[in-house]
């Protein structure tokens, strides 16, 4: 299987919308507390905001293609430390993975790892010294995926329904 990883182009907007909508539908489906949802306007609005964030933060959007079909994506930005953050953390330049998605029919074939490797290469070239990613707790598959790539739990956000 020959997978091509390439940068996002403006003409890919609808394909990126499809990817983030499929990802959000998956998150909604595994949310045991039923706090997540996807409204009809979600995809286009979220992708528009995501593209702006990527441009403001020296980020990148990469797409995985197979036979000219977009089958996955990864989105990353470079975070800037605030003066307040520097009061409690060592100076760092962090890459942040915002989104990773591989179409269900193409999962478990190394495509996610390929996307992450390309994004990590971009972060390394940008002189990032760490890479961060948030994982939705019910998404055990994603957590295990990142763990296998040597990511470690750092902050745990807890919730209690009132």
């Amino acid at each position: 299987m020959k997978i091509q990883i390439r940068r996002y182009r403006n003409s890919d907007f609808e394909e990126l919308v499809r990817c983030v909508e499929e990802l959000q539908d998956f998150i909604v489906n595994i949310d045991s507390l039923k706090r997540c949802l996807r409204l009809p306007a979600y995809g286009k609005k979220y992708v528009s905001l995501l593209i702006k964030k990527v441009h403001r933060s020296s980020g990148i959007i990469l797409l995985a293609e197979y036979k000219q079909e977009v089958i996955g994506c990864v989105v990353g930005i470079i975070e800037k430390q605030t003066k307040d953050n520097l009061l409690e953390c060592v100076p760092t330049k962090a890459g942040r993975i915002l989104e990773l998605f591989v179409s269900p029919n193409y999962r478990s074939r190394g495509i996610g790892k390929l996307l992450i490797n390309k994004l990590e290469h971009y972060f390394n070239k940008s002189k990032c010294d760490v890479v961060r990613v948030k994982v939705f707790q019910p998404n055990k598959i994603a957590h295990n995926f990142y763990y296998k790539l040597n990511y470690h739990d750092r902050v745990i956000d807890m919730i209690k329904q009132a």
Side-chain angles (χ1 to χ4, degrees):
M1 176 183 276
K2 185 164 169 65
I3 304 298
Q4 178 189 358
I5 305 296
R6 65 169 177 83
R7 284 182 177 245
Y8 170 86
R9 298 184 291 254
N10 290 338
S11 59
D12 298 316
F13 184 83
E14 292 299 326
E15 288 298 314
L16 188 56
V17 167
R18 179 187 55 78
C19 289
V20 300
E21 286 180 345
E22 283 188 47
L23 177 57
Q24 186 64 13
D25 289 344
F26 175 76
I27 295 300
V28 168
N29 190 49
I30 64 172
D31 180 14
S32 61
L33 296 178
K34 302 302 176 200
R35 309 268 319 153
C36 296
L37 54 84
R38 181 173 72 83
L39 296 176
Y42 168 81
K44 288 183 180 182
K45 180 70 172 176
Y46 180 74
V47 168
S48 295
L49 294 171
L50 193 62
I51 291 168
K52 287 178 187 173
K53 184 183 276 190
V54 165
H55 287 298
R56 280 193 318 264
S57 305
S58 301
I60 192 169
I61 301 171
L62 298 171
L63 302 177
E65 277 188 337
Y66 177 63
K67 295 184 178 179
Q68 299 179 337
E69 175 189 357
V70 174
I71 60 168
C73 65
V74 67
V75 181
I77 62 169
I78 298 175
E79 296 180 318
K80 294 190 176 21
Q81 275 187 298
T82 65
K83 289 181 182 179
D84 291 341
N85 183 258
L86 288 169
L87 294 171
E88 61 184 20
C89 297
V90 298
T92 192
K93 187 172 184 183
R96 167 73 66 182
I97 301 168
L98 298 178
E99 304 294 343
L100 172 64
F101 173 77
V102 176
S103 295
N105 292 340
Y106 295 94
R107 291 184 185 153
S108 300
R109 297 183 190 192
I111 298 164
K113 183 177 180 181
L114 187 60
L115 284 163
I116 291 296
N117 287 343
K118 293 285 188 182
L119 182 58
E120 287 176 347
H121 179 74
Y122 174 80
F123 288 148
N124 286 335
K125 282 180 33 182
S126 300
K127 307 280 192 256
C128 294
D129 57 340
V130 296
V131 179
R132 298 178 182 274
V133 62
K134 291 182 182 178
V135 178
F136 188 48
Q137 188 279 331
N139 194 348
K140 304 291 187 199
I141 294 170
H143 187 265
N144 290 336
F145 169 79
Y146 286 111
Y147 188 76
K148 288 178 185 173
L149 296 176
N150 295 317
Y151 287 77
H152 303 279
D153 293 337
R154 179 75 176 159
V155 175
I156 298 173
D157 184 36
M158 299 177 78
I159 187 171
K160 177 182 176 182
Q161 288 186 309

